[in-house]
């Protein structure tokens, strides 16, 4: 499973990455988590709001910090 957390480094982006890492650890799922901070890389993913989370190529959330339960439901 590949998870991308997109965000240039704002506090909400950091919080999103933290929640994703905690959810993955708690769920016991093997996942590669990548933080994408480049504006062009974020735009190339088709996302125009941050933070955003992409799981296995599917955009799950844009512009909001997900709850841990939301992230677990995506795993």
């Amino acid at each position: 499973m590949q998870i991308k957390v997109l965000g240039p480094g704002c506090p909400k982006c950091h919080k999103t990455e933290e929640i994703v890492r905690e959810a993955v650890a708690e769920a016991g799922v093997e996942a590669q988590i990548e933080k994408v901070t480049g504006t062009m890389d974020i735009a190339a993913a088709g996302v125009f709001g941050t933070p955003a989370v992409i799981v296995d190529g599917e955009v799950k959330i844009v512009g909001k910090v997900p709850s841990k339960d939301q992230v677990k439901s995506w795993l």
Side-chain angles (χ1 to χ4, degrees):
M1 174 174 287
Q2 183 177 26
I3 301 173
K4 293 183 179 180
V5 178
L6 293 79
C10 65
K12 287 183 179 180
C13 301
H14 289 297
K15 185 66 178 173
T16 298
E17 182 181 14
E18 178 184 314
I19 288 170
V20 167
R21 290 188 184 280
E22 287 177 4
V24 168
E26 288 179 14
V29 175
E30 283 197 35
Q32 178 183 0
I33 301 170
E34 178 184 355
K35 180 77 164 69
V36 179
T37 58
T39 307
M40 295 305 290
D41 294 330
I42 293 170
V47 172
F48 297 99
T50 58
V53 178
I54 298 175
V55 178
D56 288 338
E58 183 178 340
V59 178
K60 295 296 188 179
I61 194 166
V62 176
K64 294 191 284 188
V65 177
S67 70
K68 194 181 296 183
D69 287 337
Q70 278 180 303
V71 176
K72 286 180 180 177
S73 74
W74 303 332
L75 303 177

